[in-house]
Amino acid sequence: MQLIKSVSCLLAGTLALTLVSCEKEDKTISIEKIVFNETSLTLSVGQTLTPELTIIPEDATDQTYTLTSSDEAVVAVSGLEIKAVAAGDAVITATAQGGTLTSECSVTVVPEGFPTEFTAFSSAKGFFYGDYYMSGTDNSWTYFTTGSVVFADGAFSGKGTALFLELNAPKSGHKSVTAGSYTVDESGDMSEYTFVKGEDFGAEGLQGTFVYDSEVDGNYLVVSEGMVSVKAKSGEYVVNAYVKAGGKAYSFTYSGSVPVEDYS
């Protein structure tokens, strides 16, 4: 009887250990946080990428999540991979725990043929002329500078880079830089949401859109193609400009205010 009792006790102990072990294995560890490793990305048109995320805790039981894009025409999502479709900006959102946990990553898509590394401007200023050319659109000149570059007496000087833009916006009378996407005015009719190509008149100076670059011969390069994105909110601007001048491609960005003088 003693032997049977001991075996019974041993079996009972084994069963108890087994039950405890099962309980530990079946315990669910929920995700507490999901975070993109990089909160902003810059891609070229056509580039694909699988964004990396950190899941907290790292031993969470269910680590599945989904990705969505704020603009599939700019950045498309396929499973956990994103693809840059067209120049512009989009926000990628990662969602886990049935929608209760999210994280966002902003993506800027650069047009094909332009660098993904931006030259960041530190200052800006604008001049509003209204319908200067009597073309039915508002015309404004806006310039951006970086480094020690200054603009005085109609010319740039100093070490660094500058972009001088001549923008054509819908006629509104608003004495400010109008938000929108601008392309080159190929027709020359100053149509809405275009910028004027650069022209070099030699001793008489430059007209239209051009780049000042202290690192190149002559310093001034007229812009022949590109696109400009202007976003505005509560007096603050985000400007991304992609231009080609003198055979060189530039990607520029600016964030901040743009004080405008009225010359209308």
Side-chain angles (χ1 to χ4, degrees):
M1 290 295 293
Q2 186 64 36
L3 178 61
I4 294 174
K5 182 178 180 181
S6 298
V7 172
S8 298
C9 290
L10 180 61
L11 289 172
T14 303
L15 180 60
L17 288 173
T18 302
L19 290 174
V20 170
S21 177
C22 289
E23 288 175 1
K24 288 183 178 179
E25 290 177 0
D26 291 343
K27 184 178 180 180
T28 299
I29 302 175
S30 301
I31 297 177
E32 297 174 3
K33 193 175 183 180
I34 182 171
V35 182
F36 278 102
N37 290 4
E38 295 182 77
T39 56
S40 63
L41 295 169
T42 302
L43 305 177
S44 295
V45 171
Q47 187 176 354
T48 59
L49 180 72
T50 301
E52 295 183 355
L53 291 95
T54 296
I55 294 175
I56 303 173
E58 61 182 14
D59 60 346
T61 307
D62 182 5
Q63 300 197 11
T64 59
Y65 59 88
T66 59
L67 297 180
T68 55
S69 172
S70 63
D71 191 342
E72 286 276 343
V74 175
V75 181
V77 173
S78 178
L80 300 182
E81 184 179 75
I82 63 174
K83 181 177 182 179
V85 179
D89 301 285
V91 175
I92 301 300
T93 302
T95 304
Q97 291 287 99
T100 59
L101 297 175
T102 61
S103 181
E104 293 185 345
C105 174
S106 61
V107 181
T108 297
V109 180
V110 174
E112 190 174 358
F114 290 89
T116 54
E117 291 188 9
F118 286 80
T119 295
F121 290 121
S122 54
S123 66
K125 188 173 183 179
F127 305 92
F128 179 79
Y129 287 91
D131 194 359
Y132 184 78
Y133 295 103
M134 303 299 289
S135 60
T137 54
D138 280 342
N139 182 259
S140 63
W141 299 354
T142 309
Y143 70 82
F144 307 86
T145 63
T146 189
S148 63
V149 176
V150 295
F151 183 72
D153 299 324
F156 289 101
S157 62
K159 187 175 182 179
T161 312
L163 173 66
F164 192 96
L165 285 171
E166 188 171 333
L167 302 175
N168 302 307
K171 192 172 181 178
S172 66
H174 296 159
K175 298 171 178 60
S176 61
V177 181
T178 302
S181 295
Y182 295 80
T183 56
V184 173
D185 179 23
E186 298 286 1
S187 64
D189 61 4
M190 307 291 177
S191 55
E192 296 180 356
Y193 295 114
T194 63
F195 64 87
V196 181
K197 281 185 179 182
E199 290 187 75
D200 187 350
F201 293 97
E204 295 181 14
L206 302 173
Q207 181 177 317
T209 300
F210 58 88
V211 171
Y212 169 85
D213 190 339
S214 63
E215 298 297 319
V216 302
D217 291 338
N219 297 146
Y220 293 96
L221 302 169
V222 295
V223 171
S224 57
E225 58 182 292
M227 63 177 292
V228 178
S229 169
V230 179
K231 296 181 179 180
K233 185 177 181 180
S234 302
E236 293 292 301
Y237 288 83
V238 175
V239 179
N240 287 336
Y242 313 98
V243 297
K244 290 185 178 180
K248 187 175 181 180
Y250 295 87
S251 294
F252 296 120
T253 188
Y254 173 76
S255 297
S257 62
V258 182
V260 176
E261 292 184 13
D262 181 18
Y263 285 89
S264 59

